């Protein structure tokens, strides 16, 4: 697709006479999106862990399931990003690293509970962070272990939490897709439709 765009520019600029791949059709098969069910989220939420690190990984992942933040945006969240909205409720407001779009998300009770849990965490206090987030590589490695411990037969990644927010947490509970799109910080509704695997 990208090559075809470049070649069209070359023809327009008269650098080449004809488009040698004009008749070639690009095929694309949309991948199957993996999301967690409500039951899987609940199983994970109430699982007891032997180590503190696994509990922290679980809490960060669940937080993303209830806010829709990508890893990059969640990593840079600071305590100052937590604001009181016009509805007198807690909101998280930041700008997406990927697009620069404003991302405003109301904090659901589960997410707010997690934020309050880590307010006095040494790392959070030292660096002004909202959550004790590990590096992306470490986080993704622990997610595999988390899935195994919770008996979830899915390959967990930080992005699955975002898909879960779009589908299981919001759309399945009657939140309009335009609202979900705004909360995810998308510039186009079609992007949200890719994220949102609409369930029966």
């Amino acid at each position: 697709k990208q090559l075809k765009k470049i070649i069209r520019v070359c023809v327009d600029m008269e650098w080449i006479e004809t488009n040698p791949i004009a008749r070639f059709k690009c095929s694309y098969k949309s991948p199957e999106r993996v999301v967690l069910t409500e039951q899987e989220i609940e199983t994970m939420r109430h699982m007891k862990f032997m180590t503190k690190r696994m509990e922290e990984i679980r809490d960060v992942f669940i937080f993303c399931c209830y806010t829709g933040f990508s890893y990059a945006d969640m990593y840079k969240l600071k305590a100052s990003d937590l604001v009181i909205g016009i509805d007198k409720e807690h909101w998280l407001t930041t700008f997406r690293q990927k697009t620069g779009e404003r991302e405003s998300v109301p904090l659901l009770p589960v997410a707010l509970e997690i934020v309050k849990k880590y307010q006095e965490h040494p790392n959070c206090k030292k660096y002004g962070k909202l959550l004790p987030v590990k590096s992306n590589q470490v986080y993704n490695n622990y997610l595999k272990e988390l899935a195994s411990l919770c008996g979830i037969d899915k390959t967990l990644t930080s992005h699955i939490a975002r898909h879960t927010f779009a589908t299981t947490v919001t759309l399945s509970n009657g939140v309009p897709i335009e609202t979900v799109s705004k909360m995810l910080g998308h510039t186009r509704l079609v992007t949200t439709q890719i994220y949102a695997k609409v369930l029966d």
Side-chain angles (χ1 to χ4, degrees):
K1 278 186 174 180
Q2 302 306 326
L3 179 62
K4 285 181 88 171
K5 282 181 189 174
I6 299 297
I7 291 180
R8 276 199 299 273
V9 170
C10 294
V11 172
D12 290 345
M13 300 294 285
E14 298 180 354
W15 295 339
I16 57 175
E17 289 181 15
T18 57
N19 184 341
I21 60 169
R23 292 171 190 269
F24 179 78
K25 294 280 185 282
C26 297
S27 60
Y28 174 76
K29 188 183 177 192
S30 183
E32 185 70 19
R33 304 288 169 184
V34 177
V35 297
L36 294 185
T37 64
E38 209 169 311
Q39 190 167 355
E40 287 170 331
I41 295 171
E42 286 304 301
T43 299
M44 193 179 286
R45 272 188 65 205
H46 297 106
M47 180 66 71
K48 300 286 185 224
F49 297 104
M50 301 293 286
T51 62
K52 205 76 181 155
R53 68 176 168 84
M54 281 312 298
E55 190 179 324
E56 288 176 6
I57 294 292
R58 184 269 311 277
D59 288 344
V60 168
F61 184 79
I62 291 291
F63 174 85
C64 290
C65 286
Y66 278 89
T67 59
F69 282 105
S70 67
Y71 173 83
D73 295 327
M74 182 255 311
Y75 185 80
K76 65 183 180 70
L77 281 177
K78 292 185 164 46
S80 56
D81 294 325
L82 187 63
V83 297
I84 301 294
I86 54 170
D87 57 358
K88 303 288 186 279
E89 298 292 340
H90 288 88
W91 285 66
L92 273 173
T93 303
T94 185
F95 290 90
R96 286 206 68 201
Q97 188 170 304
K98 187 177 178 181
T99 61
E101 282 292 303
R102 185 184 173 87
E103 197 171 11
S104 290
V105 181
L107 271 191
L108 294 169
V110 174
L112 185 58
E113 191 182 305
I114 291 169
V115 168
K116 286 179 176 175
K117 180 178 175 179
Y118 291 103
Q119 277 179 335
E120 298 302 314
H121 190 281
N123 276 13
C124 295
K125 288 183 83 172
K126 184 177 179 182
Y127 301 108
K129 297 264 190 185
L130 199 68
L131 296 169
V133 188
K134 312 284 186 216
S135 73
N136 199 12
Q137 188 180 356
V138 171
Y139 179 60
N140 278 318
N141 284 340
Y142 282 153
L143 285 181
K144 292 177 178 65
E145 192 180 334
L146 179 64
S148 175
L149 289 170
C150 295
I152 297 171
D153 192 22
K154 291 173 182 173
T155 305
L156 292 187
T157 64
S158 51
H159 228 58
I160 285 177
R162 200 160 156 81
H163 288 289
T164 299
F165 173 76
T167 306
T168 310
V169 175
T170 54
L171 287 172
S172 296
N173 288 297
V175 179
I177 195 164
E178 295 83 0
T179 306
V180 177
S181 186
K182 188 75 177 167
M183 286 193 288
L184 289 172
H186 287 161
T187 52
R188 295 159 63 232
L189 197 62
V190 70
T191 312
T192 315
Q193 289 169 333
I194 293 168
Y195 269 73
K197 175 185 171 184
V198 184
L199 307 175
D200 292 341

